[in-house]
Amino acid sequence: MIQREREREREREKERERERERERERERERERERERERVIGKERERERERERERERERVREEEKERERERERERERGRVRERERERERERERERDRKREREKEREKERARERERERERERERGRARERERKGEREKERERERERERERERERERERQSERERERARERERERGRE
């Protein structure tokens, strides 16, 4: 009787021991589960960190791209400004050329005017020359006329002389 009681007690003790063992196993399983959960949590945290880093990288890249675009825009602005400056310079050069051409044209006009004036002066000189020649010719003509007049006067004088001589001759003849 006591023997069986002790036997049952040992049996119960073994059962409790097995129960404790199962409890420890369940505890180990829960610990493993918690460990897996921690590992998964860490992995998720790393993944979120990687995601945040990718996001930061994307933002940095976009900002760099915007900066590059702004730089390209500034460069296009500088190119346009240089082109406008070249166009203004070409316009100034065209103005200077037109100005030089107008000046040359004015100079040519002045030269033509001077040439016309020289031509008029030559005309006046020729006219004066012709007038002088005509005057000299008239003077020579007057001189020839005076010479003819003197010749006629000498002729008349001689005639009177001859007439007086004849008169004296007749006088003597009457005597």
Side-chain angles (χ1 to χ4, degrees):
M1 182 80 177
I2 293 164
Q3 184 66 33
R4 280 196 299 276
E5 188 59 37
R6 282 200 293 270
E7 192 58 36
R8 282 194 293 273
E9 186 54 39
R10 280 196 299 275
E11 199 49 48
R12 283 193 294 274
E13 185 54 40
K14 280 183 207 167
E15 188 52 41
R16 283 193 296 273
E17 184 52 40
R18 283 192 295 273
E19 185 53 40
R20 285 192 295 274
E21 187 52 41
R22 284 192 294 273
E23 184 54 40
R24 284 192 297 270
E25 187 52 41
R26 282 191 297 270
E27 183 53 39
R28 284 193 295 271
E29 186 53 39
R30 284 193 294 273
E31 184 52 40
R32 283 192 294 272
E33 187 55 38
R34 284 192 295 271
E35 184 55 34
R36 278 191 298 274
E37 198 53 48
R38 280 194 300 273
V39 167
I40 290 164
K42 280 181 194 166
E43 186 50 42
R44 282 198 207 96
E45 183 51 40
R46 281 194 296 270
E47 186 50 42
R48 282 193 295 271
E49 184 50 41
R50 282 193 294 270
E51 187 52 41
R52 285 191 294 268
E53 185 50 41
R54 282 191 294 270
E55 181 59 25
R56 286 190 293 268
E57 184 55 33
R58 188 181 62 75
V59 167
R60 281 192 299 268
E61 198 45 50
E62 281 173 0
E63 183 50 40
K64 279 193 273 195
E65 186 49 42
R66 282 192 295 271
E67 183 50 42
R68 284 191 292 268
E69 184 50 41
R70 286 191 293 267
E71 184 50 41
R72 283 190 293 268
E73 187 50 44
R74 286 191 292 268
E75 183 52 34
R76 285 190 291 268
R78 288 189 291 267
V79 166
R80 284 190 299 268
E81 184 49 40
R82 285 193 297 268
E83 185 48 43
R84 283 192 295 267
E85 184 49 42
R86 281 193 294 272
E87 186 47 45
R88 286 191 292 266
E89 184 49 43
R90 284 191 292 268
E91 187 53 40
R92 286 191 292 267
E93 184 51 38
R94 285 191 292 268
D95 287 346
R96 285 191 293 266
K97 251 171 97 168
R98 281 193 296 266
E99 201 49 47
R100 286 192 300 267
E101 189 47 45
K102 278 194 290 201
E103 194 47 49
R104 281 194 294 269
E105 187 47 45
K106 280 192 282 203
E107 184 50 41
R108 285 191 291 267
R110 286 191 292 265
E111 184 50 41
R112 285 191 299 269
E113 185 50 42
R114 285 192 293 267
E115 185 50 41
R116 283 193 294 267
E117 185 51 41
R118 284 192 293 268
E119 188 50 45
R120 284 192 294 267
E121 183 50 41
R122 284 192 292 268
R124 286 191 294 266
R126 282 191 299 270
E127 188 55 32
R128 283 193 303 270
E129 182 64 28
R130 280 191 299 270
K131 279 181 187 167
E133 279 303 310
R134 284 196 299 267
E135 190 53 44
K136 280 189 269 191
E137 186 53 40
R138 282 194 294 269
E139 185 53 42
R140 283 192 294 270
E141 185 54 40
R142 285 192 294 269
E143 185 54 42
R144 283 192 294 269
E145 186 53 42
R146 285 191 295 270
E147 185 55 40
R148 284 190 295 268
E149 185 55 39
R150 284 191 296 271
E151 187 56 40
R152 284 191 297 268
E153 185 54 40
R154 282 193 298 272
E155 189 57 40
R156 284 191 297 270
Q157 185 65 33
S158 299
E159 186 55 39
R160 284 193 296 271
E161 283 296 323
R162 285 191 297 273
E163 185 55 39
R164 279 195 296 271
R166 283 192 298 272
E167 187 58 39
R168 283 192 300 274
E169 193 56 42
R170 282 192 297 272
E171 276 300 317
R172 280 194 298 270
R174 285 194 293 269
E175 290 172 1

